[in-house]
Structures are given as C-alpha cells and as structure tokens.
Amino acid sequence: QVQLVESGGGLVQPGGSLRLSCSTSGIIFSSYDMGWYRQALGKQRELVATITRAGSTNYAGSVKGRFIISRDGAKNTVYLRMNSLEPDDTAVYYCYARHSILRDYDYWGQGTQVTVSS
C-alpha cells in the first residue's frame, strides 16, 4: 500500500529552524510531484511548497526565502527546511504526492505538528 509518513515536527522558538521529512513507500517516487501543505487551527489547509519530479519548485509567498523544499530519489523522501520560523508558521504540516501524469493518483500523509512559540 501507499504510505507517506512525515517526521521532524516539534516545538521551536521564533527565529529557529526545523527540517521536516516525508518518507514514501508504495509509489514510484520518480513519477510523482511532491508538496507540503499546512493547516493552522481554525484555518483552511494551504499550499506551502511544491517540487516536481524534475526538481522545479514553487513556494507560497509567505514562506518564500525562508523555506526550502527538496527531494532525495535514493531515499524516496521529500524534505522541507524551515528557517526564520514565525508564530504564524504554527500548523500541522502535511506531505502530498501526485502522479505527474495520472493526476487522480494522489496521496496525503497523516501530518506532523509544528509549533513556533516562546
């Protein structure tokens, strides 16, 4: 079966850094575009960053210049390096995979909590 498992969340102080990981299994990783989404308490889920199978990236304006998405084909893992964290970054972060061609084949992870607070 397909599994996306996030890790690396936790409590950090404003200005700190954190790296999230999304380990995948059950998919041909190189065929999938990947992304990170987040959902803050009381708000809708929103796009954070995407990376295509070819390595092209896009970021939400609120995180551009602070966050970096990357992928490691040897480990079937996508990462989100978060720098200069702010309280507004507090949310559950979700990993997302979508087949680059057969786009109805898409999957979500369970999410990992990131809390930015003093």
Side-chain angles (χ1 to χ4, degrees), residues 29-77:
F29 184 73
S30 62
S31 296
Y32 281 76
D33 299 327
M34 305 294 298
W36 288 96
Y37 291 72
R38 68 186 182 187
Q39 186 167 21
L41 189 64
K43 295 188 176 181
Q44 294 186 332
R45 190 172 298 187
E46 65 177 356
L47 173 71
V48 176
T50 62
I51 182 166
T52 69
R53 60 185 297 195
S56 298
T57 59
N58 284 287
Y59 298 90
S62 59
V63 308
K64 193 171 186 179
R66 299 190 296 122
F67 291 9
I68 300 172
I69 188 171
S70 61
R71 61 192 294 157
D72 186 337
K75 297 182 178 179
N76 296 333
T77 299

Side-chain angles (χ1 to χ4, degrees), residues 11-38:
L11 175 64
V12 295
Q13 294 185 343
S17 297
L18 208 60
R19 188 180 75 162
L20 306 183
S21 298
C22 173
S23 176
T24 71
S25 61
I27 64 170
I28 301 176
F29 184 73
S30 62
S31 296
Y32 281 76
D33 299 327
M34 305 294 298
W36 288 96
Y37 291 72
R38 68 186 182 187

Side-chain angles (χ1 to χ4, degrees), residues 10-16 85-91 113-118:
L11 175 64
V12 295
Q13 294 185 343
L85 283 162
E86 304 168 353
D88 283 348
D89 295 318
T90 296
Q113 177 71 48
V114 172
T115 302
V116 184
S117 177
S118 299

Side-chain angles (χ1 to χ4, degrees), residues 4-10 18-23 36 77-80 82 93-95 109-114:
L4 278 60
V5 180
E6 301 96 335
S7 62
L18 208 60
R19 188 180 75 162
L20 306 183
S21 298
C22 173
S23 176
W36 288 96
T77 299
V78 63
Y79 303 96
L80 185 68
M82 303 182 292
Y93 284 71
Y94 296 91
C95 183
Q110 293 290 103
T112 185
Q113 177 71 48
V114 172

